[in-house]
Amino acid sequence: MTRRILLVNGPNLNLLGSREPEVYGTATLADVEKLTAAAAEAEGFELRALQSNHEGVLIDAIHAAREDCTAIIINPGGLTHTSVVLRDALTGVALPFAEVHISDVYAREEFRHHSYLHDVAAVRVIGEGVDGYASAVRQLAALIA
């Protein structure tokens, strides 16, 4: 089986680079995907990337990952704090996954402090900027090895 990681970016992450640069920085989604793909390649993995503003599209991609992926990296955006079904999809496919947040959610509004993924994620990377995606790759690779 090919060693492949699915990278999932949720709602509004298509606006990286222009949305609140003081919070999220100036790197674009394309920059994130390139950085994550390079980190994955360095660890012997391929990367498949998907971004959607639609929860069902994210869930379908997670379900499909069980066929050809070894792990998942997800930045669920605002769905972190609201989506039980996203949690159910991730636990349902039984692949190790990393929850990534570019900003330090604990230094922001109170409602961002709760994550439906917190207790089921194999890896959590919070507040490391876009470099957190590469950190997630390295940590997942170490778990899988």
Side-chain angles (χ1 to χ4, degrees):
M1 180 175 176
T2 301
R3 290 169 35 112
R4 181 176 297 116
I5 296 172
L6 173 65
L7 171 62
V8 177
N9 279 290
N12 300 310
L13 290 162
N14 57 304
L15 298 177
L16 285 176
S18 62
R19 175 186 175 217
E20 300 177 79
E22 68 282 1
V23 174
Y24 301 105
T26 57
T28 65
L29 181 60
D31 295 333
V32 166
E33 291 175 356
K34 184 177 178 182
L35 172 120
T36 310
E41 184 178 348
E43 296 290 340
F45 289 87
E46 292 180 2
L47 186 79
R48 181 168 64 231
L50 167 82
Q51 185 281 325
S52 181
N53 295 316
H54 304 282
E55 189 173 39
V57 172
L58 302 176
I59 291 166
D60 288 343
I62 290 165
H63 288 179
R66 69 179 179 223
E67 301 297 325
D68 66 351
C69 291
T70 312
I72 298 171
I73 296 172
I74 183 167
N75 182 338
L79 293 174
T80 303
H81 325 293
T82 64
S83 184
V84 173
V85 296
L86 192 59
R87 173 195 171 100
D88 289 348
L90 287 160
T91 58
V93 299
L95 294 172
F97 75 91
E99 175 185 2
V100 174
H101 298 285
I102 295 168
S103 68
D104 180 357
V105 293
Y106 298 110
R108 298 183 65 195
E109 304 93 338
E110 181 72 28
F111 72 87
R112 294 186 195 276
H113 299 187
H114 173 74
S115 166
Y116 278 102
L117 306 182
H118 172 84
D119 62 323
V120 292
V123 171
R124 297 188 77 228
V125 181
I126 308 225
E128 293 184 19
V130 297
D131 290 335
Y133 287 89
S135 177
V137 167
R138 290 188 295 274
Q139 291 181 58
L140 279 174
L143 284 175
I144 294 166

